């Protein structure tokens, strides 16, 4: 590891918060089936752990959106690199994201999904950087609000590195 990484949120804190989110989601969707849509790649770690704590039937699907490339700042252009495998019409859908930064990517995605006529559409994010928000998005279930620092770990990467860290860390020394 060439970069220095400072722990921002520990593995134990993440585990405890995901368990609580699972309880909240279970209560909200009691008696229903829930379709989770993971935003790849970073959201995969979070969604897998979250799904273990949701006690209603769940199905899973994946989308891949891009607005970053290999840099640390969003390009502002969102593109769908991988679309859903299954239709969501009439389903209770929960989008699972790793982090919400400017809000542009999620605003775009939620608009695209809403046009596919789900029964309900909500958003769960492990992390939120409210100081970076350019486009408002409603986060129904949130793990942690964090300061405007570039973070890695638990699915989040820097140039495809550090996703496998079991905690959320800040990469020191990036411009």
């Amino acid at each position: 590891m060439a970069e220095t990484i400072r722990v921002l949120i520990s593995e134990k804190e993440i585990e405890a918060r995901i368990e609580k989110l699972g309880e909240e989601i279970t209560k909200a969707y009691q008696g229903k089936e829930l379709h989770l849509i993971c935003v790849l790649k970073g959201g995969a770690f979070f969604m897998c752990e979250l799904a273990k704590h949701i006690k209603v039937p769940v199905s899973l699907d994946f989308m891949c959106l891009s607005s970053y490339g290999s840099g640390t700042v969003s390009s502002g252009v969102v593109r769908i690199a991988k679309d859903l495998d299954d239709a969501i019409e009439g389903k209770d859908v929960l989008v699972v994201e790793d982090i919400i930064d400017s809000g542009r990517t999620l605003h775009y995605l939620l608009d695209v999904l809403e046009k596919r006529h789900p029964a309900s559409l909500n958003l769960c994010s492990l992390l939120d950087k409210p100081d970076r928000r350019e486009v408002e998005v409603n986060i129904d279930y949130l793990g942690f609000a964090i300061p405007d620092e570039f973070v890695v770990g638990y699915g989040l990467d820097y140039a495809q590195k550090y996703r496998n860290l079991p905690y959320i860390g800040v990469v020191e020394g990036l411009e």
Side-chain angles (χ1 to χ4, degrees):
M1 290 190 195
E3 295 83 21
T4 303
I5 300 172
R6 169 178 48 86
V7 176
L8 181 65
I9 305 169
S10 74
E11 182 176 8
K12 286 187 186 290
E13 290 173 299
I14 294 169
E15 289 171 358
R17 184 64 188 129
I18 290 174
E19 185 175 340
K20 290 289 188 199
L21 286 170
E23 291 170 7
E24 291 174 35
I25 292 165
T26 297
K27 186 176 179 182
Y29 290 92
Q30 201 62 49
K32 298 180 179 182
E33 293 183 13
L34 183 58
H35 189 66
L36 302 178
I37 296 177
C38 175
V39 181
L40 294 172
K41 298 178 184 171
F45 288 73
F46 176 43
M47 186 175 79
C48 288
E49 288 305 310
L50 180 64
K52 292 177 188 177
H53 296 284
I54 297 174
K55 306 302 182 203
V56 298
V58 297
S59 55
L60 310 175
D61 207 342
F62 301 86
M63 287 187 86
C64 186
L65 299 133
S66 178
S67 66
Y68 278 82
S70 63
T72 62
V73 177
S74 175
S75 68
V77 177
V78 180
R79 67 177 184 84
I80 296 176
K82 185 227 177 286
D83 207 339
L84 298 174
D85 293 331
D86 299 311
I88 61 169
E89 185 171 350
K91 294 182 180 182
D92 289 300
V93 173
L94 182 64
V95 174
V96 180
E97 175 66 294
D98 55 0
I99 188 167
I100 300 173
D101 196 305
S102 71
R104 280 184 265 154
T105 301
L106 263 293
H107 184 266
Y108 172 82
L109 174 61
L110 293 172
D111 185 56
V112 166
L113 295 177
E114 189 64 47
K115 291 174 182 168
R116 297 178 185 187
H117 308 290
S120 67
L121 180 62
N122 289 299
L123 174 61
C124 178
S125 182
L126 179 61
L127 303 173
D128 180 30
K129 282 189 194 178
D131 292 343
R132 299 272 309 194
R133 193 74 78 249
E134 295 174 16
V135 178
E136 205 49 50
V137 291
N138 181 49
I139 305 168
D140 301 283
Y141 304 96
L142 176 62
F144 305 91
I146 62 169
D148 183 13
E149 297 182 286
F150 193 81
V151 292
V152 295
Y154 215 85
L156 295 142
D157 73 296
Y158 171 59
Q160 298 299 326
K161 297 185 292 186
Y162 310 119
R163 288 188 194 278
N164 60 321
L165 296 175
Y167 56 85
I168 303 294
V170 175
V171 180
E172 301 285 354
L174 290 180
E175 292 294 318

